[in-house]
Amino acid sequence: MHILLLPVFPLLTIGLLVPLWQRPRRGTAGCATLVAWVAAFAYAAFYTGLDAVAGITAGTTVGHAHEEASPGPLKSPLYDMG
């Protein structure tokens, strides 16, 4: 399922960019708009990469586990943020 949704994850940044849709103006507001655009791009790129790495790691971990091992304790450290 993660592979199918991989192109959708960057679309999460649309919610961040919609309030900043107009062209940046001069001054502090324009600078803040430009910084927000760059931060939204970085968020989309790194969130997608993090999700891909976590999904591949979870699949590899479960795939290499013993048959009698429960997959829950193997996967939970990958997704628990504390």
Side-chain angles (χ1 to χ4, degrees), residues 1-68:
M1 187 63 143
H2 275 82
I3 300 300
L4 296 175
L5 292 175
L6 198 57
V8 177
F9 287 122
L11 296 176
L12 293 170
T13 60
I14 290 177
L16 300 172
L17 293 178
V18 167
L20 309 169
W21 213 250
Q22 72 271 4
R23 185 174 180 180
R25 290 168 275 173
R26 295 185 185 264
T28 308
C31 183
T33 300
L34 200 57
V35 168
W37 283 354
V38 171
F41 174 78
Y43 171 79
F46 287 114
Y47 184 84
T48 303
L50 175 66
D51 188 66
V53 168
I56 292 168
T57 305
T60 303
T61 302
V62 171
H64 284 86
H66 292 288
E67 293 176 6
E68 60 270 354

